[in-house]
Amino acid sequence: MTRWGILGPGRIAHKFVQDLLTVPDAQLYAVASSDLQRATEFAETYSIPHAFGSYEELLTLPDLDVVYVATPHVKHHENVMMLLNGGIAVLGEKPFAMNGDQVREMVETARSKGVFLMEALWSRFMPGIVFAQDLVKSGAVGNVVSVKADFGFKAPFLPEKRLFNKALGGGSLLDIGIYPLFLSYLILGKPTTVKASATFSSTDVDEQCGMVLTYADGQVALLDSCLLAATDCLGIIQGETGQIRIHSRFHETKGITLNREDGTTETFTFDRDTHGYDYEAKHVMECLQEGKTESPLWSLDDSLNLMQLLDTVRAEAGISY
């Protein structure tokens, strides 16, 4: 059994745990919150034996195998560093931290201590995303010329909540813009130029962000995130001889359509009964069982590269914290 701890029993932690319950050999072992009552209620809901009213108490469990960190963005670095220094493996929610310097410290600490660390970028492990990347590698659409991806939903304007609260790392870029940026990085790698622009709410967080990335071989990525309206949420990989269309919402897609140059099309489906967090959880457990300290599919260098891209977009668009 792999004994899991949950740090931060919020909305996304509920979804993660519901999926974890479907994973063989995964045991929900502990939950920690800054509010003991909240931790206790979460533990009772999912029959978790240990509930703590402080994060530090997780360090008192010597048989804890790995902790899923699901606190607000601004707490990720602090929470992850505490666990790494305690010798506990970590799956940390995206964005990994607030900036590249924080991520670099996390990565260096994990590597120096030989402790497993991975960013919970669940899209990387979705079967549809994996399949789309495999199609590109197989030459199904020829040389890729562009990637287009958008992610937008209409968020209620609640200044005290995370999305529109600058103190909590709010804004569209870090919350959902990371997904289009991830797709461009997965398919095209690191760009040579980054241009970005944003519009801001009355609370000074970016409510929209548009990005244009160019690459050494002439490719381009057109990406955007939005908290003001529901957008198509599509991922489109355009090649010289075809197109891969990642169905909405692309970051958790259940379908891929391959449009060939000769006019033929083929659709592939990836049905599931879970939210989709089980794929990353299974991968973490496989890594731990094999004695790995980082993922071969989404490495710590990948996380650092993605955060550095986010930093560049922020600088270009005037987004600051």
Side-chain angles (χ1 to χ4, degrees), residues 65-77:
D65 293 310
V66 58
V67 171
Y68 170 63
V69 173
T71 47
H73 308 338
V74 292
K75 293 291 186 180
H76 289 176
H77 172 258

Side-chain angles (χ1 to χ4, degrees), residues 6-317:
I6 307 297
L7 194 157
R11 180 184 60 85
I12 196 167
H14 279 279
K15 291 183 176 181
F16 180 84
V17 164
Q18 289 160 15
D19 285 1
L20 196 61
L21 290 171
T22 72
V23 178
D25 298 328
Q27 180 185 359
L28 284 165
Y29 195 61
V31 58
S33 171
S34 56
D35 181 335
L36 179 59
Q37 181 178 348
R38 197 176 185 203
T40 301
E41 291 172 353
F42 192 92
E44 290 173 349
T45 299
Y46 300 108
S47 301
I48 301 174
H50 301 284
F52 300 120
S54 73
Y55 303 143
E56 291 78 10
E57 287 178 274
L58 286 173
L59 301 177
T60 67
L61 297 176
D63 47 359
L64 187 61
D65 293 310
V66 58
V67 171
Y68 170 63
V69 173
T71 47
H73 308 338
V74 292
K75 293 291 186 180
H76 289 176
H77 172 258
E78 174 187 339
N79 299 151
V80 169
M81 289 298 295
M82 178 197 74
L83 293 165
L84 292 177
N85 285 319
I88 298 177
V90 179
L91 173 64
E93 255 309 328
K94 62 81 196 166
F96 220 8
M98 289 299 293
N99 55 59
D101 288 341
Q102 289 185 344
V103 172
R104 188 174 295 103
E105 184 180 10
M106 290 157 52
V107 168
E108 290 174 352
T109 300
R111 286 175 170 167
S112 68
K113 292 182 175 293
V115 179
F116 179 86
L117 174 64
M118 190 183 90
E119 183 178 12
L121 198 61
W122 63 321
S123 298
R124 177 64 185 92
F125 307 95
M126 288 287 180
I129 296 294
V130 173
F131 187 74
Q133 186 187 33
D134 288 343
L135 282 177
V136 171
K137 289 181 177 179
S138 73
V141 295
N143 294 324
V144 174
V145 297
S146 69
V147 171
K148 297 178 182 178
D150 69 282
F151 194 159
F153 65 94
K154 189 174 179 62
F157 183 70
L158 301 170
E160 73 283 2
K161 299 294 185 181
R162 177 177 57 83
L163 281 178
F164 287 97
N165 190 330
K166 192 169 184 176
L168 295 178
S172 75
L173 177 63
L174 291 185
D175 193 69
I176 56 178
I178 187 174
Y179 289 116
L181 201 59
F182 153 75
L183 184 63
S184 70
Y185 174 76
L186 183 69
I187 301 302
L188 297 174
K190 297 170 71 172
T192 54
T193 67
V194 176
K195 300 295 182 183
S197 184
T199 63
F200 295 86
S201 70
S202 59
T203 55
D204 199 30
V205 302
D206 64 290
E207 54 191 10
Q208 294 189 88
C209 185
M211 296 160 269
V212 179
L213 285 59
T214 60
Y215 299 81
D217 293 331
Q219 304 99 327
V220 65
L222 306 174
L223 319 168
D224 66 85
S225 57
C226 177
L227 297 177
L228 300 178
T231 66
D232 290 335
C233 295
L234 293 172
I236 300 174
I237 303 168
Q238 185 63 56
E240 291 179 341
T241 62
Q243 181 192 83
I244 299 167
R245 192 175 186 88
I246 307 174
H247 299 184
S248 185
R249 296 188 309 173
F250 79 88
H251 72 293
E252 55 176 343
T253 190
K254 294 182 180 179
I256 299 285
T257 296
L258 173 61
N259 298 313
R260 300 185 181 89
E261 191 176 32
D262 62 7
T264 61
T265 66
E266 191 172 2
T267 296
F268 307 87
T269 57
F270 307 89
D271 293 329
R272 62 176 185 270
D273 296 323
T274 64
H275 301 291
Y277 297 99
D278 48 313
Y279 299 111
E280 66 178 358
K282 289 175 185 176
H283 180 70
V284 168
M285 290 168 61
E286 289 168 1
C287 289
L288 292 174
Q289 288 158 11
E290 294 169 8
K292 292 183 170 69
T293 54
E294 61 183 274
S295 165
L297 294 181
W298 187 248
S299 71
L300 295 178
D301 286 337
D302 289 326
S303 290
L304 186 55
N305 288 339
L306 185 58
M307 182 52 69
Q308 288 170 339
L309 276 174
L310 287 165
D311 284 353
T312 302
V313 170
R314 283 169 48 183
E316 279 283 316

